Amino acid sequence: LDSFISKAIVSRCKSMKKIISYTFLSVVLLSCQSEMEPLPPENGDSALVDKVFSASASTKTALDGASVLWDSSDKVSVFDGKANRRFSVSVDTESAIIYGKAANGSSYCLLYPYDDAAEYSSGVVSTMLPDTQRPLKDGFDENANLLCATVQGTEVSMRNVCGLLKFTVSSSDISGIRLTSVGGEKFAGHVSID
């Protein structure tokens, strides 16, 4: 009986040593883990934060009869002082939520539609208005209606940079329409918005 009790005690001691060893190892691993540096984001934008802007219903981007509406596929350029960031749009009945990641700052400039080649410097946005635009029935080319805003805070009031021209085509054999100005003014091309 003494031999059996001795073997049981030795067996329990070995089990306790394993438990203590595993517990010690876990504590060591956890303490090392808290000292490890987090990996930087792959794109190098470690200083970016989530930003959300709310655009009023009065400045929108697509036609619905006589009403102009935002569309959930819209993309917006947001200039944060460091780069031109691509933001997405979420739509509800009263407004559009413009969201994405940008450098934290006190003011931003927004441009619709998103243009990866657009630039912002000294309060002026430089972009292009295409000289060839797709006509859409009861609508307009999404690249032909530039909107711009500067914002401090989260409420955005986008302003139209261009005007729209409405016309009706009554023949099905028309392949295009060319507009020219009497004085030779440009309708399209490089645009500076301040």
Side-chain angles (χ1 to χ4, degrees), residues 85-101:
R85 312 284 182 190
R86 182 179 175 153
F87 274 48
S88 297
V89 175
S90 175
V91 180
D92 66 26
T93 57
E94 298 298 319
S95 64
I97 304 302
I98 301 168
Y99 63 94
K101 291 190 175 289

Side-chain angles (χ1 to χ4, degrees), residues 128-134 141 143-144 177-179 186-191:
M128 293 292 289
L129 181 63
D131 58 358
T132 301
Q133 300 171 6
R134 287 180 301 122
D141 186 330
N143 295 315
I177 296 173
R178 179 179 301 242
L179 300 175
K186 290 186 175 185
F187 288 133
H190 180 264
V191 178

Side-chain angles (χ1 to χ4, degrees), residues 157-178:
S157 182
M158 303 287 279
R159 65 181 179 158
N160 285 297
V161 176
C162 303
L164 298 175
L165 175 65
K166 180 180 178 179
F167 55 89
T168 303
V169 177
S170 59
S171 177
S172 62
D173 62 345
I174 295 176
S175 62
I177 296 173
R178 179 179 301 242

Side-chain angles (χ1 to χ4, degrees), residues 31-182:
S31 67
C32 289
Q33 183 178 3
S34 67
E35 292 177 19
M36 290 196 294
E37 292 290 323
L39 294 174
E42 289 181 31
N43 62 5
D45 291 334
S46 61
L48 299 184
V49 296
D50 291 329
K51 296 302 285 183
V52 177
F53 302 101
S54 177
S56 67
S58 63
T59 57
K60 300 180 183 181
T61 65
L63 291 176
D64 179 21
S67 299
V68 185
L69 306 173
W70 283 94
D71 187 279
S72 60
S73 66
D74 290 336
K75 302 296 181 212
V76 177
S77 286
V78 174
F79 301 94
D80 61 9
K82 296 184 179 182
N84 174 1
R85 312 284 182 190
R86 182 179 175 153
F87 274 48
S88 297
V89 175
S90 175
V91 180
D92 66 26
T93 57
E94 298 298 319
S95 64
I97 304 302
I98 301 168
Y99 63 94
K101 291 190 175 289
N104 202 12
S106 60
S107 68
Y108 300 87
C109 180
L110 282 68
L111 171 68
Y112 170 85
Y114 173 78
D115 176 4
D116 63 342
E119 297 177 351
Y120 180 71
S121 178
S122 301
V124 177
V125 175
S126 298
T127 189
M128 293 292 289
L129 181 63
D131 58 358
T132 301
Q133 300 171 6
R134 287 180 301 122
L136 298 173
K137 183 179 184 208
D138 299 323
F140 52 84
D141 186 330
E142 63 188 28
N143 295 315
N145 188 37
L146 299 177
L147 302 173
C148 194
T150 54
V151 61
Q152 296 176 337
T154 60
E155 293 295 318
V156 176
S157 182
M158 303 287 279
R159 65 181 179 158
N160 285 297
V161 176
C162 303
L164 298 175
L165 175 65
K166 180 180 178 179
F167 55 89
T168 303
V169 177
S170 59
S171 177
S172 62
D173 62 345
I174 295 176
S175 62
I177 296 173
R178 179 179 301 242
L179 300 175
T180 57
S181 70
V182 173

